[in-house]
Amino acid sequence: MRSGHNQRGMSLIELVTVTGIAGALAMGALGTARFRGPALTVAGQEIQGSLEEAFAQARASGRPVEVSASTTKDIGHLPVSLPRSLHWGLPAGIPLPPHMDPTVRAAATGEAHVAITVTPRHTATATVWFLNDGEDALCLRVNDRGRTSLLRWHASRHRWTRS
């Protein structure tokens, strides 16, 4: 005897069970995955935003404005808030970005340029900042017209990419 009712698809209970199992497996995989670099991403956005604000303030006031990692915020100075896990400079094991001339050691370590002064004419005193988290690195470049670009070193891929 054949039933007139053909069963197609899954019942709601089966669907919820399968979704729950898939969710549990996904959460387990996410827990074991190692995410790198969110601090560098945040720092890159913070630095770019601070530089844009500094250029606007310099144009408005007619005076240079300094951007640095200090906590002092006064007229002519904008602090950049960096996560504690980040360090200035380019570690020895990371190559320079493509098309970049070798820098002097002080500039490469960040000792020479922990502050960037921008002018009302939309120029800057430092052209490169390096930040790193021990494995990945961020290279902020400021060109002669005050435009910024970010490059990111990915240790897992052994290459620089645009951020």
Side-chain angles (χ1 to χ4, degrees):
M1 184 174 220
R2 196 172 159 192
S3 172
H5 184 271
N6 286 337
Q7 187 175 12
R8 293 184 183 165
M10 298 172 69
S11 71
L12 182 59
I13 292 174
E14 291 171 322
L15 183 63
V16 169
T17 303
V18 169
T19 304
I21 292 170
L25 290 172
M27 291 303 290
L30 286 175
T32 60
R34 184 172 180 219
F35 293 108
R36 299 277 328 148
L40 284 172
T41 301
V42 170
Q45 292 170 349
E46 175 76 18
I47 291 169
Q48 281 189 305
S50 294
L51 282 171
E52 288 172 14
E53 184 178 342
F55 281 120
Q57 283 186 12
R59 274 192 309 275
S61 69
R63 293 188 306 246
V65 175
E66 182 182 78
V67 177
S68 74
S70 77
T71 56
T72 306
K73 185 170 184 171
D74 56 18
I75 296 173
H77 182 85
L78 283 175
V80 176
S81 177
L82 298 176
R84 292 181 186 171
S85 61
L86 297 184
H87 310 283
W88 288 106
L90 185 66
I94 298 177
L96 287 173
H99 311 296
M100 185 173 197
D101 294 329
T103 58
V104 295
R105 181 73 185 141
T109 61
E111 296 164 11
H113 301 292
V114 292
I116 293 178
T117 302
V118 301
T119 68
R121 302 186 99 191
H122 213 69
T123 60
T125 56
T127 57
V128 177
W129 264 1
F130 287 105
L131 295 172
N132 73 82
D133 64 5
E135 289 186 29
D136 292 346
L138 190 70
C139 174
L140 171 79
R141 297 169 111 177
V142 183
N143 72 11
D144 59 346
R145 295 184 184 177
R147 295 188 194 261
T148 60
S149 64
L150 284 174
L151 298 172
R152 178 85 177 258
W153 171 257
H154 299 274
S156 61
R157 293 186 255 168
H158 297 287
R159 64 182 238 196
W160 288 95
T161 60
R162 292 210 179 270
S163 264

